[in-house]
């Protein structure tokens, strides 16, 4: 956890501490104390950590989250913004992408084996289904 704590501290300090605290609406001394691993009582609440992440620039936020996830052998993947779609169109796109996976699998299995190029095509089609699911989820979330 030491790398994560120092990364968080560097990013908070890199944002000037004072300016970040003002954007967050918290006391600067409290923020700097909570983020400083050299302080004995440097415990940061989950709420304060969430505020820090919300108010850090994207690059700083990524560095902090990557350092945290690295402690557990995970990595951070940034999802691209999905295109705006209405839920019905997003559903139709998902069905079409799913059909592409089915067609690729059917074609690949026709001779009883799957070649490396067919695996590549199938994986690409599966990735497109995942993206279509993300678009559908976002379009449903944005419905008023």
């Amino acid at each position: 956890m030491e790398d994560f704590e120092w990364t968080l501290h560097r990013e908070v300090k890199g944002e000037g501490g004072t300016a970040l605290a003002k954007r967050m609406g918290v006391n600067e001394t409290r923020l700097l104390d909570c983020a400083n691993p050299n302080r004995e009582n440097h415990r940061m609440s989950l709420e304060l950590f969430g505020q820090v992440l919300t108010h850090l620039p994207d690059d700083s936020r990524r560095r902090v989250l990557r350092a945290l996830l690295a402690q557990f052998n995970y990595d951070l993947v940034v999802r691209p913004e999905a295109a705006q779609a209405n839920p019905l169109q997003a559903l139709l796109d998902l069905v079409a992408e799913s059909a592409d996976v089915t067609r690729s699998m059917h074609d690949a299995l026709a001779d009883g084996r799957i070649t490396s190029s067919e695996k590549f095509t199938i994986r690409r089609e599966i990735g497109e289904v995942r993206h279509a699911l993300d678009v559908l989820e976002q379009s449903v979330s944005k419905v008023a």
Side-chain angles (χ1 to χ4, degrees):
M1 288 302 257
E2 188 174 327
D3 183 52
F4 162 67
E5 291 174 341
W6 281 107
T7 301
L8 178 62
H9 178 67
R10 274 192 309 275
E11 297 306 324
V12 167
K13 292 285 285 181
E15 279 302 298
T18 304
L20 180 60
K22 283 183 182 177
R23 286 196 309 268
M24 292 172 54
V26 298
N27 180 289
E28 175 190 5
T29 304
R30 177 174 172 248
L31 174 62
L32 293 175
D33 283 348
C34 288
N36 187 349
N38 286 326
R39 301 272 188 197
E40 192 170 318
N41 293 326
H42 75 279
R43 305 286 184 237
M44 182 177 287
S45 71
L46 188 55
E47 179 184 357
L48 186 58
F49 179 63
Q51 286 181 325
V52 168
L53 289 177
T54 299
H55 291 89
L56 283 175
D58 284 342
D59 289 342
S60 295
R61 183 180 312 125
R62 275 190 216 105
R63 281 189 286 274
V64 170
L65 289 173
R66 279 196 174 108
L68 175 61
L69 291 172
Q71 300 295 312
F72 302 99
N73 294 321
Y74 287 95
D75 198 6
L76 180 68
V77 177
V78 180
R79 276 195 232 173
E81 276 293 315
Q84 294 288 338
N86 68 53
L88 181 57
Q89 184 60 51
L91 178 61
L92 293 173
D93 292 344
L94 174 61
V95 171
E97 294 298 344
S98 297
D100 290 344
V101 172
T102 303
R103 172 54 54 198
S104 295
M105 284 297 298
H106 180 269
D107 293 347
L109 292 171
D111 62 359
R113 65 185 192 87
I114 300 176
T115 66
S116 60
S117 67
E118 290 168 332
K119 286 180 185 178
F120 176 81
T121 300
I122 292 166
R123 286 187 184 116
R124 187 187 68 228
E125 297 295 350
I126 290 171
E128 290 174 6
V129 169
R130 285 189 181 111
H131 177 73
L133 274 171
D134 288 341
V135 171
L136 176 60
E137 182 179 29
Q138 289 181 8
S139 69
V140 169
S141 298
K142 293 179 181 178
V143 173

